[in-house]
Amino acid sequence: MAQITTQRLFFRPLESADITQIYVDWLNDPEVNRYLEVRLSKHSLESCSRFVEAMNAATDQNLFGIFLSDSKRHIGNIKLGFVSSYHARAQLSLFIGDKTCWRKGLATESIGAITIWGFEQLKLMKIEAGCYEQNLASLRAFLKAGYQVEGFFRRSFILDHKRVGGFWMGILPGEVLRGL
Ligand SMILES: CC(C)(COP(=O)(O)OP(=O)(O)OC[C@H]1O[C@@H](n2cnc3c(N)ncnc32)[C@H](O)[C@@H]1OP(=O)(O)O)[C@@H](O)C(=O)NCCC(=O)NCCS
């Protein structure tokens, strides 16, 4: 697979050498996992390895590590998953585990790159994403990349012992923003 690159990042499938304690610690970090379903379980090197192996073996999942171009440092993951070949549709999700990399536009850049890859390489006709209503960083990043809110799921999740809602977003091939 050709490497996917942007101005500051590159993306590639994860290998066993990428499964480090730093990666495991991201998933167990309450600030990183606050709005992610991964917070519902405890993670280890073994569970991360099993997850990466399963994703790499699945034909309907495309998991990439997000790496800084200059230092080659792994900073998070992005997944274009649940690919329906019949509907030419998939779901995008991501996390930036390295908190020193937050608020630099790297999520927006990652979403843009993998969205373009999905349209061009997988020939998708629709990409969707969801986030908890409180996750304004995620919502903003997807909107800045060209996604639109298509729906709101009322009181669908439990967060801090309260029921909260979630935004559902989507993008079509002609709407993708380039050069993010
Ligand atoms: C959500 C996440 C991916 C955003 O990553 P990021 O690289 O910091 O995002 P960007 O720098 O591209 O910022 C996108 C927009 O969100 C805004 N933003 C970033 N953090 C924010 C915060 N905590 N609160 C409100 N807005 C925020 C940015 O200012 C920017 O908007 P602007 O250009 O209008 O100012 C990152 O915080 C993260 O990985 N969080 C944990 C996992 C997660 O929640 N993943 C998404 C699941 S749906």
Side-chain angles (χ1 to χ4, degrees):
M1 182 192 292
Q3 206 168 69
I4 307 165
T5 58
T6 61
Q7 214 182 347
R8 294 176 291 172
L9 302 168
F10 67 90
F11 308 84
R12 62 161 174 78
L14 291 174
E15 298 160 3
S16 50
D18 301 313
I19 318 292
T20 61
Q21 191 57 45
I22 293 172
Y23 173 3
V24 174
D25 292 344
W26 292 337
L27 298 176
N28 291 322
D29 179 338
E31 273 188 282
V32 174
N33 70 24
R34 177 157 175 73
Y35 303 119
L36 302 177
E37 303 297 300
V38 296
R39 73 184 186 284
L40 304 178
S41 40
K42 180 97 178 121
H43 301 273
S44 63
L45 288 166
E46 292 71 30
S47 66
C48 285
S49 296
R50 275 197 304 274
F51 174 77
V52 168
E53 274 170 31
M55 289 301 110
N56 288 345
T59 53
D60 64 340
Q61 304 281 350
N62 300 274
L63 174 70
F64 300 103
I66 305 172
F67 296 84
L68 293 176
S69 305
D70 50 7
S71 62
K72 315 271 181 279
R73 195 149 55 83
H74 182 201
I75 61 163
N77 291 351
I78 186 162
K79 180 162 71 75
L80 190 55
F82 305 104
V83 177
S84 160
S85 48
Y86 182 82
H87 294 292
R89 192 184 65 216
Q91 291 176 25
L92 189 63
S93 57
L94 82 161
F95 74 88
I96 295 188
D98 183 331
K99 291 183 278 186
T100 66
C101 292
W102 283 6
R103 286 185 170 264
K104 294 181 176 170
L106 295 173
T108 309
E109 199 168 307
S110 303
I111 293 166
I114 302 303
T115 300
I116 290 171
W117 180 83
F119 287 142
E120 291 183 350
Q121 299 301 314
L122 302 186
K123 309 290 179 214
L124 297 173
M125 298 306 290
K126 178 84 188 272
I127 299 178
E128 299 172 332
C131 70
Y132 284 24
E133 65 179 307
Q134 285 81 0
N135 196 351
L136 299 181
S138 177
L139 178 67
R140 282 290 308 145
F142 278 99
L143 295 183
K144 283 189 78 185
Y147 284 67
Q148 297 179 26
V149 172
E150 298 190 340
F152 185 77
F153 294 106
R154 299 176 304 149
R155 298 193 200 174
S156 276
F157 312 98
I158 291 180
L159 181 69
D160 299 336
H161 311 291
K162 286 195 267 287
R163 295 206 73 83
V164 300
F167 292 102
W168 193 245
M169 297 166 281
I171 190 167
L172 303 175
E175 296 167 348
V176 73
L177 298 185
R178 290 170 188 272
L180 290 167

